[in-house]
Amino acid sequence: MPGTNRMLRILGLFALERPVITPEQLIDEFGVSRASVYRDLGQLTRAGMLERVADRGYVLGPMVVELDRQVRLADPLLQAAQDLPAKLADETGGAVLLCRFHGSKVLCIHQVSGRNPALSVSYQRGRAMPLYRGATSKIILAYLPPAQLERLWASERQTAVAAGLPDDYAELTRVLGALRQSGHCVTAGEIDPDAVGLAVALRDAEHLLGSLSVVLPAATLTAALRQWVLSRLQSVAGRIEGRLQDQRDKARAIRKREMP
């Protein structure tokens, strides 16, 4: 395994359940020599991506925090959203989630709490969630290009079926096609008990970015409120996508001016 790829995989091994990783764990994980593992750890530590904790192992380093600040300030999706999620949370009273598609997971990059203090929402900034449960994730799944969906089905079929999706690819594409045609997804209790998630997809031109969601207590969701929240979600998503288009247009204009 090339060293660079292995170092990226080392970073991907950290989780809340495993915040500290030892060299011995990495030797077992990758089946490489102790010298190779310590060389990788040394490079990652010098770059600030890892930090050694005496007598325990290695934890994520300060460069990760620096990069997170860079994302908060410069992520095009966050820049396009700006104040819109907060306004949507104020209007609907629900928690608003701005999420990105990441590998086979969905990553919350921004959350605004609603007015209901009793509402518990598992999605939090930086927390990766499964792609096959909840409206926030399922609407992303519905908009995946066919080739990408086929690859996920081939590699994660058991996980998808365990989450309640059809155990038949033709039926899966029919279900997801219906979601795509409606333009939204609504689920109840799939992530948090007594909560309903309403979500729409977010795209940058034809590129699927993620989703925008509102989470409300199930007990408060009437048919009229459901329709109104979905209307507001689609309107706000359209504004975010419009701002992304403006970013692209400005970038093209700058490149055009800089061309010889």
Side-chain angles (χ1 to χ4, degrees):
M1 180 190 306
T4 301
N5 183 44
R6 189 169 56 241
M7 284 190 283
L8 292 174
R9 289 187 59 190
I10 288 172
L11 294 174
L13 291 175
F14 286 90
L16 290 177
E17 301 78 20
R18 186 163 59 172
V20 181
I21 291 179
T22 66
E24 289 72 24
Q25 288 173 323
L26 296 178
I27 292 169
D28 291 339
E29 177 77 22
F30 299 126
V32 297
S33 69
R34 180 174 296 270
S36 295
V37 164
Y38 273 99
R39 183 169 57 249
D40 294 342
L41 291 172
Q43 292 185 48
L44 289 168
T45 301
R46 288 190 292 275
M49 300 302 294
L50 296 182
E51 185 172 301
R52 185 173 182 274
V53 182
D55 300 322
R56 292 179 61 196
Y58 291 79
V59 298
L60 292 174
M63 178 57 74
V64 176
V65 180
E66 186 174 339
L67 292 174
D68 179 66
R69 181 177 183 274
Q70 178 72 13
V71 170
R72 289 174 185 267
L73 296 176
D75 185 321
L77 181 53
L78 285 174
Q79 287 183 328
Q82 294 182 10
D83 57 332
L84 294 177
K87 290 181 179 179
L88 185 60
D90 186 60
E91 289 175 350
T92 63
V96 174
L97 310 172
L98 184 65
C99 296
R100 274 190 178 275
F101 176 48
H102 170 60
S104 61
K105 299 177 182 177
V106 177
L107 186 68
C108 181
I109 63 172
H110 185 58
Q111 179 191 34
V112 181
S113 299
R115 293 192 298 268
N116 190 326
L119 180 63
S120 174
V121 179
S122 294
Y123 278 90
Q124 300 171 1
R125 176 177 166 81
R127 182 178 184 183
M129 298 294 284
L131 183 59
Y132 308 111
R133 290 185 187 275
T136 299
S137 296
K138 283 183 174 177
I139 195 63
I140 295 174
L141 193 65
Y143 278 86
L144 286 181
Q148 194 168 5
L149 181 62
E150 287 180 10
R151 288 195 297 271
L152 277 173
W153 179 254
S155 62
E156 301 196 18
R157 176 177 179 175
Q158 290 184 340
T159 302
V161 172
L165 290 173
D167 191 12
D168 176 79
Y169 188 73
E171 177 63 12
L172 175 68
T173 57
R174 188 196 66 79
V175 169
L176 296 180
L179 290 178
R180 190 166 57 251
Q181 186 173 11
S182 71
H184 65 262
C185 182
V186 180
T187 61
E190 291 194 7
I191 298 295
D192 295 300
D194 304 320
V196 174
L198 306 93
V200 297
L202 287 171
R203 289 174 291 178
D204 187 3
E206 296 304 313
H207 177 59
L208 176 64
L209 294 178
S211 64
L212 180 70
S213 311
V214 173
V215 182
L216 292 164
T220 69
L221 190 66
T222 63
L225 179 58
R226 169 188 164 125
Q227 288 306 116
W228 182 77
V229 170
L230 286 172
S231 175
R232 293 300 303 135
L233 264 172
Q234 290 165 341
S235 175
V236 172
R239 292 184 64 185
I240 292 173
E241 290 176 348
R243 289 177 177 180
L244 288 167
Q245 177 66 55
D246 291 341
Q247 290 177 4
R248 290 196 304 275
D249 292 343
K250 289 178 182 177
R252 290 193 191 102
I254 291 172
R255 288 197 299 270
K256 189 174 181 179
R257 288 197 301 268
E258 292 177 346
M259 290 177 64

